[in-house]
Amino acid sequence: ETGVTQTPRHLVMGMTNKKSLKCEQHLGHNAMYWYKQSAKKPLELMFVYNFKEQTENNSVPSRFSPECPNSSHLFLHLHTLQPEDSALYLCASSQDYWRGPSSYEQYFGPGTRLTVT
Amino acid sequence: KQEVTQIPAALSVPEGENLVLNCSFTDSAIYNLQWFRQDPGKGLTSLLLIQSSQREQTSGRLNASLDKSSGRSTLYIAASQPGDSATYLCAVISSGGGADGLTFGKGTHLIIQP
């Protein structure tokens, strides 16, 4: 595997379900990100992790719970979602975000298409 | 709060034409600007990254320019091909650094007619 991978690629869940999205990066990066892409809206940053530490929570509802067990893996745990949470969820990584502009370039995974019924 | 605007929202041109996509941002204190391509239902592919100290970057038929003081960037596509059809997204890293993540525009949906 190369680059950034995400599983599953598609997920349909009911509002009472609990599910998790997984992201893995094979680039040796230290920073990982979750973004949400809804129809007709720009991509929105959700969470940022650097060296496994969460450094940004962009006012995301608590029904979304991130986990970063190591620098290569990032999870997004989902519970009690609403239909408006249906979207494409994208994971990205960068070398880090404190060493300067050359380390900020982000690489994206293919996304998980989530449908909440 | 940084805002990114892309014009036009959609563009359809015949194959072979040269074209320009525009991006503007409200806060000129940026570190980087990245142009991405997104095919329907897919993730993002990075096309070009311009650091704030740079004026332009080139990759094949693509050329991106940055005028940081005026808050503008353009993506020039030469000799367009049907395979260039996709949504093109512009995104910036603002003064908070990478910890703030990327701020994206809504994209330009490009169709190249064979």
Side-chain angles (χ1 to χ4, degrees), chain B residues 57-95:
Chain B
Q57 286 287 333
T58 297
S59 176
R61 295 182 292 108
L62 305 179
N63 176 276
S65 67
L66 174 63
D67 184 342
K68 184 181 165 184
S69 61
S70 67
R72 295 171 189 264
S73 176
T74 61
L75 179 67
Y76 176 82
I77 303 177
S80 58
Q81 303 171 357
D84 295 330
S85 298
T87 296
Y88 290 79
L89 297 165
C90 170
V92 299
I93 294 278
S94 299
S95 56

PDB file of all heavy atoms in Angstrom, chain B residues 57-95:
ATOM      1  N   GLN B  57       4.532  27.920  -9.883  1.00  0.00           N
ATOM      2  CA  GLN B  57       5.007  26.541  -9.967  1.00  0.00           C
ATOM      3  C   GLN B  57       4.443  25.945 -11.253  1.00  0.00           C
ATOM      4  O   GLN B  57       3.329  26.287 -11.674  1.00  0.00           O
ATOM      5  CB  GLN B  57       4.536  25.701  -8.772  1.00  0.00           C
ATOM      6  CG  GLN B  57       5.254  25.978  -7.465  1.00  0.00           C
ATOM      7  CD  GLN B  57       6.667  25.417  -7.467  1.00  0.00           C
ATOM      8  OE1 GLN B  57       6.994  24.455  -8.153  1.00  0.00           O
ATOM      9  NE2 GLN B  57       7.538  26.042  -6.685  1.00  0.00           N
ATOM     10  N   THR B  58       5.211  25.050 -11.845  1.00  0.00           N
ATOM     11  CA  THR B  58       4.793  24.432 -13.114  1.00  0.00           C
ATOM     12  C   THR B  58       4.937  22.929 -13.010  1.00  0.00           C
ATOM     13  O   THR B  58       5.894  22.415 -12.413  1.00  0.00           O
ATOM     14  CB  THR B  58       5.658  24.952 -14.273  1.00  0.00           C
ATOM     15  OG1 THR B  58       5.455  26.359 -14.399  1.00  0.00           O
ATOM     16  CG2 THR B  58       5.278  24.269 -15.578  1.00  0.00           C
ATOM     17  N   SER B  59       3.956  22.229 -13.621  1.00  0.00           N
ATOM     18  CA  SER B  59       4.028  20.784 -13.738  1.00  0.00           C
ATOM     19  C   SER B  59       3.352  20.388 -15.035  1.00  0.00           C
ATOM     20  O   SER B  59       2.122  20.494 -15.168  1.00  0.00           O
ATOM     21  CB  SER B  59       3.332  20.097 -12.558  1.00  0.00           C
ATOM     22  OG  SER B  59       3.328  18.690 -12.715  1.00  0.00           O
ATOM     23  N   GLY B  60       4.147  19.999 -16.013  1.00  0.00           N
ATOM     24  CA  GLY B  60       3.595  19.627 -17.299  1.00  0.00           C
ATOM     25  C   GLY B  60       2.813  20.755 -17.935  1.00  0.00           C
ATOM     26  O   GLY B  60       3.336  21.858 -18.146  1.00  0.00           O
ATOM     27  N   ARG B  61       1.544  20.491 -18.211  1.00  0.00           N
ATOM     28  CA  ARG B  61       0.698  21.521 -18.854  1.00  0.00           C
ATOM     29  C   ARG B  61       0.069  22.483 -17.856  1.00  0.00           C
ATOM     30  O   ARG B  61      -0.714  23.345 -18.235  1.00  0.00           O
ATOM     31  CB  ARG B  61      -0.414  20.820 -19.662  1.00  0.00           C
ATOM     32  CG  ARG B  61       0.102  20.002 -20.834  1.00  0.00           C
ATOM     33  CD  ARG B  61      -1.055  19.375 -21.637  1.00  0.00           C
ATOM     34  NE  ARG B  61      -1.754  18.345 -20.862  1.00  0.00           N
ATOM     35  CZ  ARG B  61      -2.974  18.491 -20.363  1.00  0.00           C
ATOM     36  NH1 ARG B  61      -3.638  19.609 -20.531  1.00  0.00           N
ATOM     37  NH2 ARG B  61      -3.537  17.499 -19.697  1.00  0.00           N
ATOM     38  N   LEU B  62       0.382  22.323 -16.599  1.00  0.00           N
ATOM     39  CA  LEU B  62      -0.203  23.159 -15.546  1.00  0.00           C
ATOM     40  C   LEU B  62       0.801  24.194 -15.061  1.00  0.00           C
ATOM     41  O   LEU B  62       1.975  23.884 -14.867  1.00  0.00           O
ATOM     42  CB  LEU B  62      -0.638  22.293 -14.359  1.00  0.00           C
ATOM     43  CG  LEU B  62      -1.592  21.139 -14.627  1.00  0.00           C
ATOM     44  CD1 LEU B  62      -1.885  20.399 -13.344  1.00  0.00           C
ATOM     45  CD2 LEU B  62      -2.870  21.632 -15.271  1.00  0.00           C
ATOM     46  N   ASN B  63       0.285  25.407 -14.860  1.00  0.00           N
ATOM     47  CA  ASN B  63       1.095  26.461 -14.270  1.00  0.00           C
ATOM     48  C   ASN B  63       0.231  27.202 -13.271  1.00  0.00           C
ATOM     49  O   ASN B  63      -0.861  27.670 -13.609  1.00  0.00           O
ATOM     50  CB  ASN B  63       1.604  27.420 -15.344  1.00  0.00           C
ATOM     51  CG  ASN B  63       2.379  28.594 -14.753  1.00  0.00           C
ATOM     52  OD1 ASN B  63       1.770  29.594 -14.340  1.00  0.00           O
ATOM     53  ND2 ASN B  63       3.679  28.476 -14.687  1.00  0.00           N
ATOM     54  N   ALA B  64       0.723  27.300 -12.034  1.00  0.00           N
ATOM     55  CA  ALA B  64      -0.010  28.035 -11.009  1.00  0.00           C
ATOM     56  C   ALA B  64       0.803  29.249 -10.593  1.00  0.00           C
ATOM     57  O   ALA B  64       2.008  29.163 -10.397  1.00  0.00           O
ATOM     58  CB  ALA B  64      -0.292  27.151  -9.801  1.00  0.00           C
ATOM     59  N   SER B  65       0.135  30.386 -10.470  1.00  0.00           N
ATOM     60  CA  SER B  65       0.786  31.608 -10.018  1.00  0.00           C
ATOM     61  C   SER B  65       0.179  32.065  -8.707  1.00  0.00           C
ATOM     62  O   SER B  65      -0.956  31.722  -8.380  1.00  0.00           O
ATOM     63  CB  SER B  65       0.641  32.711 -11.070  1.00  0.00           C
ATOM     64  OG  SER B  65      -0.716  33.081 -11.169  1.00  0.00           O
ATOM     65  N   LEU B  66       0.955  32.843  -7.961  1.00  0.00           N
ATOM     66  CA  LEU B  66       0.492  33.359  -6.676  1.00  0.00           C
ATOM     67  C   LEU B  66       0.883  34.819  -6.545  1.00  0.00           C
ATOM     68  O   LEU B  66       2.047  35.179  -6.723  1.00  0.00           O
ATOM     69  CB  LEU B  66       1.121  32.574  -5.522  1.00  0.00           C
ATOM     70  CG  LEU B  66       0.832  33.086  -4.108  1.00  0.00           C
ATOM     71  CD1 LEU B  66      -0.658  33.003  -3.794  1.00  0.00           C
ATOM     72  CD2 LEU B  66       1.657  32.313  -3.075  1.00  0.00           C
ATOM     73  N   ASP B  67      -0.123  35.651  -6.267  1.00  0.00           N
ATOM     74  CA  ASP B  67       0.113  37.048  -5.909  1.00  0.00           C
ATOM     75  C   ASP B  67      -0.408  37.205  -4.490  1.00  0.00           C
ATOM     76  O   ASP B  67      -1.589  37.482  -4.268  1.00  0.00           O
ATOM     77  CB  ASP B  67      -0.605  37.983  -6.880  1.00  0.00           C
ATOM     78  CG  ASP B  67      -0.294  39.449  -6.601  1.00  0.00           C
ATOM     79  OD1 ASP B  67       0.173  39.766  -5.491  1.00  0.00           O
ATOM     80  OD2 ASP B  67      -0.532  40.292  -7.483  1.00  0.00           O
ATOM     81  N   LYS B  68       0.486  37.015  -3.544  1.00  0.00           N
ATOM     82  CA  LYS B  68       0.071  36.968  -2.153  1.00  0.00           C
ATOM     83  C   LYS B  68      -0.488  38.306  -1.687  1.00  0.00           C
ATOM     84  O   LYS B  68      -1.498  38.344  -0.978  1.00  0.00           O
ATOM     85  CB  LYS B  68       1.276  36.578  -1.297  1.00  0.00           C
ATOM     86  CG  LYS B  68       0.986  36.402   0.161  1.00  0.00           C
ATOM     87  CD  LYS B  68       2.267  36.034   0.900  1.00  0.00           C
ATOM     88  CE  LYS B  68       2.090  36.202   2.388  1.00  0.00           C
ATOM     89  NZ  LYS B  68       3.352  35.944   3.120  1.00  0.00           N
ATOM     90  N   SER B  69       0.099  39.394  -2.111  1.00  0.00           N
ATOM     91  CA  SER B  69      -0.315  40.714  -1.623  1.00  0.00           C
ATOM     92  C   SER B  69      -1.741  41.047  -2.039  1.00  0.00           C
ATOM     93  O   SER B  69      -2.470  41.715  -1.292  1.00  0.00           O
ATOM     94  CB  SER B  69       0.648  41.793  -2.109  1.00  0.00           C
ATOM     95  OG  SER B  69       0.653  41.829  -3.525  1.00  0.00           O
ATOM     96  N   SER B  70      -2.138  40.589  -3.223  1.00  0.00           N
ATOM     97  CA  SER B  70      -3.503  40.865  -3.671  1.00  0.00           C
ATOM     98  C   SER B  70      -4.447  39.719  -3.344  1.00  0.00           C
ATOM     99  O   SER B  70      -5.641  39.816  -3.623  1.00  0.00           O
ATOM    100  CB  SER B  70      -3.527  41.127  -5.180  1.00  0.00           C
ATOM    101  OG  SER B  70      -3.203  39.962  -5.901  1.00  0.00           O
ATOM    102  N   GLY B  71      -3.937  38.632  -2.772  1.00  0.00           N
ATOM    103  CA  GLY B  71      -4.790  37.504  -2.389  1.00  0.00           C
ATOM    104  C   GLY B  71      -5.347  36.749  -3.575  1.00  0.00           C
ATOM    105  O   GLY B  71      -6.540  36.400  -3.576  1.00  0.00           O
ATOM    106  N   ARG B  72      -4.512  36.504  -4.574  1.00  0.00           N
ATOM    107  CA  ARG B  72      -5.002  35.826  -5.780  1.00  0.00           C
ATOM    108  C   ARG B  72      -4.038  34.746  -6.257  1.00  0.00           C
ATOM    109  O   ARG B  72      -2.811  34.872  -6.107  1.00  0.00           O
ATOM    110  CB  ARG B  72      -5.203  36.819  -6.924  1.00  0.00           C
ATOM    111  CG  ARG B  72      -6.270  37.852  -6.688  1.00  0.00           C
ATOM    112  CD  ARG B  72      -6.228  38.909  -7.785  1.00  0.00           C
ATOM    113  NE  ARG B  72      -7.096  40.035  -7.473  1.00  0.00           N
ATOM    114  CZ  ARG B  72      -8.337  40.171  -7.921  1.00  0.00           C
ATOM    115  NH1 ARG B  72      -8.845  39.251  -8.718  1.00  0.00           N
ATOM    116  NH2 ARG B  72      -9.064  41.211  -7.596  1.00  0.00           N
ATOM    117  N   SER B  73      -4.631  33.712  -6.846  1.00  0.00           N
ATOM    118  CA  SER B  73      -3.856  32.672  -7.519  1.00  0.00           C
ATOM    119  C   SER B  73      -4.615  32.271  -8.772  1.00  0.00           C
ATOM    120  O   SER B  73      -5.850  32.352  -8.819  1.00  0.00           O
ATOM    121  CB  SER B  73      -3.661  31.452  -6.617  1.00  0.00           C
ATOM    122  OG  SER B  73      -2.992  30.405  -7.308  1.00  0.00           O
ATOM    123  N   THR B  74      -3.862  31.865  -9.796  1.00  0.00           N
ATOM    124  CA  THR B  74      -4.488  31.342 -10.996  1.00  0.00           C
ATOM    125  C   THR B  74      -3.860  30.001 -11.336  1.00  0.00           C
ATOM    126  O   THR B  74      -2.671  29.770 -11.077  1.00  0.00           O
ATOM    127  CB  THR B  74      -4.315  32.287 -12.200  1.00  0.00           C
ATOM    128  OG1 THR B  74      -2.918  32.447 -12.471  1.00  0.00           O
ATOM    129  CG2 THR B  74      -4.950  33.639 -11.946  1.00  0.00           C
ATOM    130  N   LEU B  75      -4.687  29.127 -11.899  1.00  0.00           N
ATOM    131  CA  LEU B  75      -4.211  27.849 -12.428  1.00  0.00           C
ATOM    132  C   LEU B  75      -4.435  27.880 -13.924  1.00  0.00           C
ATOM    133  O   LEU B  75      -5.582  28.000 -14.389  1.00  0.00           O
ATOM    134  CB  LEU B  75      -4.948  26.672 -11.796  1.00  0.00           C
ATOM    135  CG  LEU B  75      -4.535  25.284 -12.322  1.00  0.00           C
ATOM    136  CD1 LEU B  75      -3.096  24.968 -11.915  1.00  0.00           C
ATOM    137  CD2 LEU B  75      -5.476  24.198 -11.812  1.00  0.00           C
ATOM    138  N   TYR B  76      -3.354  27.799 -14.672  1.00  0.00           N
ATOM    139  CA  TYR B  76      -3.395  27.832 -16.129  1.00  0.00           C
ATOM    140  C   TYR B  76      -3.231  26.404 -16.638  1.00  0.00           C
ATOM    141  O   TYR B  76      -2.283  25.714 -16.253  1.00  0.00           O
ATOM    142  CB  TYR B  76      -2.273  28.733 -16.645  1.00  0.00           C
ATOM    143  CG  TYR B  76      -2.132  28.789 -18.142  1.00  0.00           C
ATOM    144  CD1 TYR B  76      -2.944  29.620 -18.908  1.00  0.00           C
ATOM    145  CD2 TYR B  76      -1.168  28.026 -18.799  1.00  0.00           C
ATOM    146  CE1 TYR B  76      -2.796  29.688 -20.287  1.00  0.00           C
ATOM    147  CE2 TYR B  76      -1.017  28.088 -20.170  1.00  0.00           C
ATOM    148  CZ  TYR B  76      -1.830  28.922 -20.906  1.00  0.00           C
ATOM    149  OH  TYR B  76      -1.682  28.990 -22.271  1.00  0.00           O
ATOM    150  N   ILE B  77      -4.173  25.981 -17.486  1.00  0.00           N
ATOM    151  CA  ILE B  77      -4.103  24.652 -18.098  1.00  0.00           C
ATOM    152  C   ILE B  77      -3.925  24.849 -19.600  1.00  0.00           C
ATOM    153  O   ILE B  77      -4.788  25.456 -20.262  1.00  0.00           O
ATOM    154  CB  ILE B  77      -5.362  23.816 -17.819  1.00  0.00           C
ATOM    155  CG1 ILE B  77      -5.589  23.675 -16.313  1.00  0.00           C
ATOM    156  CG2 ILE B  77      -5.243  22.443 -18.473  1.00  0.00           C
ATOM    157  CD1 ILE B  77      -6.865  22.925 -15.939  1.00  0.00           C
ATOM    158  N   ALA B  78      -2.834  24.362 -20.121  1.00  0.00           N
ATOM    159  CA  ALA B  78      -2.543  24.503 -21.549  1.00  0.00           C
ATOM    160  C   ALA B  78      -3.057  23.294 -22.323  1.00  0.00           C
ATOM    161  O   ALA B  78      -3.034  22.168 -21.830  1.00  0.00           O
ATOM    162  CB  ALA B  78      -1.038  24.649 -21.750  1.00  0.00           C
ATOM    163  N   ALA B  79      -3.525  23.569 -23.518  1.00  0.00           N
ATOM    164  CA  ALA B  79      -3.937  22.501 -24.452  1.00  0.00           C
ATOM    165  C   ALA B  79      -4.814  21.474 -23.748  1.00  0.00           C
ATOM    166  O   ALA B  79      -4.451  20.291 -23.651  1.00  0.00           O
ATOM    167  CB  ALA B  79      -2.700  21.846 -25.061  1.00  0.00           C
ATOM    168  N   SER B  80      -5.964  21.900 -23.290  1.00  0.00           N
ATOM    169  CA  SER B  80      -6.823  21.053 -22.470  1.00  0.00           C
ATOM    170  C   SER B  80      -7.234  19.771 -23.195  1.00  0.00           C
ATOM    171  O   SER B  80      -7.360  19.734 -24.435  1.00  0.00           O
ATOM    172  CB  SER B  80      -8.066  21.834 -22.040  1.00  0.00           C
ATOM    173  OG  SER B  80      -8.768  22.293 -23.167  1.00  0.00           O
ATOM    174  N   GLN B  81      -7.439  18.717 -22.391  1.00  0.00           N
ATOM    175  CA  GLN B  81      -7.807  17.397 -22.912  1.00  0.00           C
ATOM    176  C   GLN B  81      -9.033  16.891 -22.160  1.00  0.00           C
ATOM    177  O   GLN B  81      -9.249  17.275 -21.006  1.00  0.00           O
ATOM    178  CB  GLN B  81      -6.644  16.422 -22.699  1.00  0.00           C
ATOM    179  CG  GLN B  81      -5.338  16.847 -23.330  1.00  0.00           C
ATOM    180  CD  GLN B  81      -4.182  15.950 -22.911  1.00  0.00           C
ATOM    181  OE1 GLN B  81      -4.325  15.030 -22.108  1.00  0.00           O
ATOM    182  NE2 GLN B  81      -3.007  16.224 -23.483  1.00  0.00           N
ATOM    183  N   PRO B  82      -9.826  16.002 -22.757  1.00  0.00           N
ATOM    184  CA  PRO B  82     -10.995  15.466 -22.045  1.00  0.00           C
ATOM    185  C   PRO B  82     -10.642  14.868 -20.684  1.00  0.00           C
ATOM    186  O   PRO B  82     -11.439  14.954 -19.742  1.00  0.00           O
ATOM    187  CB  PRO B  82     -11.524  14.401 -23.012  1.00  0.00           C
ATOM    188  CG  PRO B  82     -11.141  14.907 -24.359  1.00  0.00           C
ATOM    189  CD  PRO B  82      -9.780  15.554 -24.166  1.00  0.00           C
ATOM    190  N   GLY B  83      -9.456  14.296 -20.546  1.00  0.00           N
ATOM    191  CA  GLY B  83      -9.022  13.739 -19.265  1.00  0.00           C
ATOM    192  C   GLY B  83      -8.797  14.777 -18.181  1.00  0.00           C
ATOM    193  O   GLY B  83      -8.645  14.417 -17.006  1.00  0.00           O
ATOM    194  N   ASP B  84      -8.795  16.041 -18.555  1.00  0.00           N
ATOM    195  CA  ASP B  84      -8.657  17.118 -17.566  1.00  0.00           C
ATOM    196  C   ASP B  84      -9.993  17.418 -16.878  1.00  0.00           C
ATOM    197  O   ASP B  84     -10.031  18.196 -15.921  1.00  0.00           O
ATOM    198  CB  ASP B  84      -8.144  18.398 -18.217  1.00  0.00           C
ATOM    199  CG  ASP B  84      -6.729  18.249 -18.760  1.00  0.00           C
ATOM    200  OD1 ASP B  84      -5.944  17.464 -18.197  1.00  0.00           O
ATOM    201  OD2 ASP B  84      -6.412  18.928 -19.764  1.00  0.00           O
ATOM    202  N   SER B  85     -11.066  16.839 -17.365  1.00  0.00           N
ATOM    203  CA  SER B  85     -12.382  17.082 -16.772  1.00  0.00           C
ATOM    204  C   SER B  85     -12.409  16.596 -15.329  1.00  0.00           C
ATOM    205  O   SER B  85     -12.120  15.430 -15.054  1.00  0.00           O
ATOM    206  CB  SER B  85     -13.461  16.364 -17.585  1.00  0.00           C
ATOM    207  OG  SER B  85     -13.508  16.848 -18.912  1.00  0.00           O
ATOM    208  N   ALA B  86     -12.739  17.486 -14.431  1.00  0.00           N
ATOM    209  CA  ALA B  86     -12.716  17.208 -12.990  1.00  0.00           C
ATOM    210  C   ALA B  86     -13.120  18.489 -12.264  1.00  0.00           C
ATOM    211  O   ALA B  86     -13.346  19.522 -12.900  1.00  0.00           O
ATOM    212  CB  ALA B  86     -11.334  16.774 -12.530  1.00  0.00           C
ATOM    213  N   THR B  87     -13.174  18.411 -10.936  1.00  0.00           N
ATOM    214  CA  THR B  87     -13.330  19.620 -10.124  1.00  0.00           C
ATOM    215  C   THR B  87     -11.960  20.018  -9.591  1.00  0.00           C
ATOM    216  O   THR B  87     -11.231  19.182  -9.066  1.00  0.00           O
ATOM    217  CB  THR B  87     -14.306  19.387  -8.968  1.00  0.00           C
ATOM    218  OG1 THR B  87     -15.610  19.111  -9.494  1.00  0.00           O
ATOM    219  CG2 THR B  87     -14.400  20.627  -8.079  1.00  0.00           C
ATOM    220  N   TYR B  88     -11.633  21.292  -9.749  1.00  0.00           N
ATOM    221  CA  TYR B  88     -10.341  21.809  -9.309  1.00  0.00           C
ATOM    222  C   TYR B  88     -10.548  22.656  -8.063  1.00  0.00           C
ATOM    223  O   TYR B  88     -11.367  23.574  -8.044  1.00  0.00           O
ATOM    224  CB  TYR B  88      -9.678  22.608 -10.433  1.00  0.00           C
ATOM    225  CG  TYR B  88      -9.230  21.717 -11.558  1.00  0.00           C
ATOM    226  CD1 TYR B  88     -10.140  21.252 -12.503  1.00  0.00           C
ATOM    227  CD2 TYR B  88      -7.916  21.287 -11.651  1.00  0.00           C
ATOM    228  CE1 TYR B  88      -9.742  20.386 -13.519  1.00  0.00           C
ATOM    229  CE2 TYR B  88      -7.502  20.432 -12.655  1.00  0.00           C
ATOM    230  CZ  TYR B  88      -8.427  19.979 -13.581  1.00  0.00           C
ATOM    231  OH  TYR B  88      -8.024  19.117 -14.581  1.00  0.00           O
ATOM    232  N   LEU B  89      -9.807  22.332  -7.029  1.00  0.00           N
ATOM    233  CA  LEU B  89      -9.951  22.986  -5.732  1.00  0.00           C
ATOM    234  C   LEU B  89      -8.681  23.745  -5.375  1.00  0.00           C
ATOM    235  O   LEU B  89      -7.565  23.262  -5.586  1.00  0.00           O
ATOM    236  CB  LEU B  89     -10.222  21.946  -4.646  1.00  0.00           C
ATOM    237  CG  LEU B  89     -11.521  21.151  -4.783  1.00  0.00           C
ATOM    238  CD1 LEU B  89     -11.500  19.935  -3.876  1.00  0.00           C
ATOM    239  CD2 LEU B  89     -12.718  22.022  -4.459  1.00  0.00           C
ATOM    240  N   CYS B  90      -8.885  24.915  -4.830  1.00  0.00           N
ATOM    241  CA  CYS B  90      -7.811  25.763  -4.341  1.00  0.00           C
ATOM    242  C   CYS B  90      -7.904  25.779  -2.812  1.00  0.00           C
ATOM    243  O   CYS B  90      -9.009  25.848  -2.264  1.00  0.00           O
ATOM    244  CB  CYS B  90      -7.993  27.170  -4.913  1.00  0.00           C
ATOM    245  SG  CYS B  90      -6.934  28.438  -4.220  1.00  0.00           S
ATOM    246  N   ALA B  91      -6.765  25.704  -2.128  1.00  0.00           N
ATOM    247  CA  ALA B  91      -6.775  25.691  -0.669  1.00  0.00           C
ATOM    248  C   ALA B  91      -5.529  26.396  -0.144  1.00  0.00           C
ATOM    249  O   ALA B  91      -4.472  26.348  -0.772  1.00  0.00           O
ATOM    250  CB  ALA B  91      -6.831  24.265  -0.137  1.00  0.00           C
ATOM    251  N   VAL B  92      -5.671  27.041   1.012  1.00  0.00           N
ATOM    252  CA  VAL B  92      -4.542  27.764   1.605  1.00  0.00           C
ATOM    253  C   VAL B  92      -4.308  27.305   3.041  1.00  0.00           C
ATOM    254  O   VAL B  92      -5.238  26.901   3.743  1.00  0.00           O
ATOM    255  CB  VAL B  92      -4.756  29.297   1.590  1.00  0.00           C
ATOM    256  CG1 VAL B  92      -4.889  29.799   0.161  1.00  0.00           C
ATOM    257  CG2 VAL B  92      -5.961  29.695   2.419  1.00  0.00           C
ATOM    258  N   ILE B  93      -3.048  27.377   3.438  1.00  0.00           N
ATOM    259  CA  ILE B  93      -2.659  27.264   4.842  1.00  0.00           C
ATOM    260  C   ILE B  93      -2.458  28.688   5.333  1.00  0.00           C
ATOM    261  O   ILE B  93      -1.607  29.414   4.812  1.00  0.00           O
ATOM    262  CB  ILE B  93      -1.364  26.464   5.017  1.00  0.00           C
ATOM    263  CG1 ILE B  93      -1.568  25.012   4.618  1.00  0.00           C
ATOM    264  CG2 ILE B  93      -0.864  26.557   6.464  1.00  0.00           C
ATOM    265  CD1 ILE B  93      -2.193  24.133   5.659  1.00  0.00           C
ATOM    266  N   SER B  94      -3.218  29.086   6.332  1.00  0.00           N
ATOM    267  CA  SER B  94      -3.176  30.469   6.805  1.00  0.00           C
ATOM    268  C   SER B  94      -2.112  30.659   7.882  1.00  0.00           C
ATOM    269  O   SER B  94      -1.360  29.749   8.190  1.00  0.00           O
ATOM    270  CB  SER B  94      -4.555  30.892   7.315  1.00  0.00           C
ATOM    271  OG  SER B  94      -5.491  30.802   6.264  1.00  0.00           O
ATOM    272  N   SER B  95      -2.116  31.823   8.473  1.00  0.00           N
ATOM    273  CA  SER B  95      -1.017  32.227   9.356  1.00  0.00           C
ATOM    274  C   SER B  95      -0.898  31.364  10.597  1.00  0.00           C
ATOM    275  O   SER B  95       0.136  31.386  11.251  1.00  0.00           O
ATOM    276  CB  SER B  95      -1.187  33.690   9.759  1.00  0.00           C
ATOM    277  OG  SER B  95      -2.459  33.884  10.361  1.00  0.00           O
TER     278      SER B  95
END
